[in-house]
Amino acid sequence: MALLTLAEAKTQLQLTDTAAYDAELETYIDALTPVIERHTGPVESRTVTETVNAYGPLLALTQVPTVSLTSLTPVHSGGRAIAADEVALDGDAGVLRRLDGARFAGGPWVAVYVAGRDDIPPTINLAARLLLQHLWRTRYGAARGNPGGGEDFDVNEPIPGFGYAVPNRVLQLLESFKAPPGVA
């Protein structure tokens, strides 16, 4: 499931030409995902493989929300893999708990799981549309009279690691989906 489709991008930018901007828009759409996911954690579903440590009866995954667990195997030989149906997954927190109440012994563990969301919430989709509109405006500008022109969105400051600022209205929309500290 895509964060933003090409058709949604064209609608947001009021582009009526069916193919003239497609390749460029696809580049913009691809660039939106890491910016949005920096605030929300994974939005588009993806398989993640990572080595994690357990803390007693709990094991915390780093990419949340988590949709499902595929496998959980100890890094060191001699340990027993734990089947996905032997653990309870709190997907929002990315925390695994053994159903038998036992501790996660014999780790660290290699966890393979699907992170992201089954459905893209409309608020995140709108934030992606507004970010696209902002980026498109900074590329083409209102002075050239291109679609999406007009005043640029307000921004506070550039986000470290990204070469441009994210509009305040986008950050406000993403606030309720903000990933916990140390995650994503």
Side-chain angles (χ1 to χ4, degrees):
M1 179 172 302
L3 177 61
L4 188 65
T5 66
L6 184 59
E8 290 170 331
K10 287 180 175 183
T11 298
Q12 183 68 27
L13 298 175
Q14 300 175 349
L15 296 174
T16 56
D17 188 337
T18 58
Y21 297 106
D22 286 5
E24 188 174 9
L25 279 173
E26 290 289 354
T27 301
Y28 277 67
I29 291 168
D30 290 344
L32 297 173
T33 302
V35 177
I36 298 292
E37 289 185 345
R38 179 172 179 151
H39 297 281
T40 65
V43 175
E44 296 179 356
S45 292
R46 66 183 58 98
T47 299
V48 176
T49 301
E50 67 179 348
T51 301
V52 292
N53 290 306
Y55 301 98
L58 301 176
L59 188 143
L61 306 172
T62 62
Q63 300 290 312
V64 297
T66 305
V67 177
S68 63
L69 176 68
T70 306
S71 67
L72 188 62
T73 55
V75 170
H76 306 295
S77 62
R80 181 181 79 80
I82 298 175
D85 63 357
E86 295 180 65
V87 297
L89 169 65
D90 178 342
D92 290 335
V95 173
L96 299 172
R97 180 183 49 81
R98 291 187 56 165
L99 293 175
D100 63 7
R103 300 171 64 86
F104 286 96
W109 299 85
V110 175
V112 180
Y113 58 97
V114 176
R117 291 171 167 81
D118 289 327
D119 296 310
I120 307 294
T123 306
I124 293 177
N125 179 271
L126 178 59
R129 289 174 187 240
L130 292 174
L131 182 56
L132 170 70
Q133 192 173 1
H134 168 72
L135 294 174
W136 195 258
R137 285 179 174 180
T138 61
R139 168 69 172 89
Y140 290 102
R144 290 179 49 180
N146 285 318
E151 291 183 21
D152 204 6
F153 297 166
D154 291 335
V155 295
N156 280 331
E157 57 191 58
I159 294 179
F162 296 103
Y164 53 86
V166 176
N168 293 333
R169 65 182 77 177
V170 171
L171 295 174
Q172 290 166 350
L173 286 169
L174 297 176
E175 185 64 30
S176 63
F177 298 96
K178 198 169 191 174
V183 173

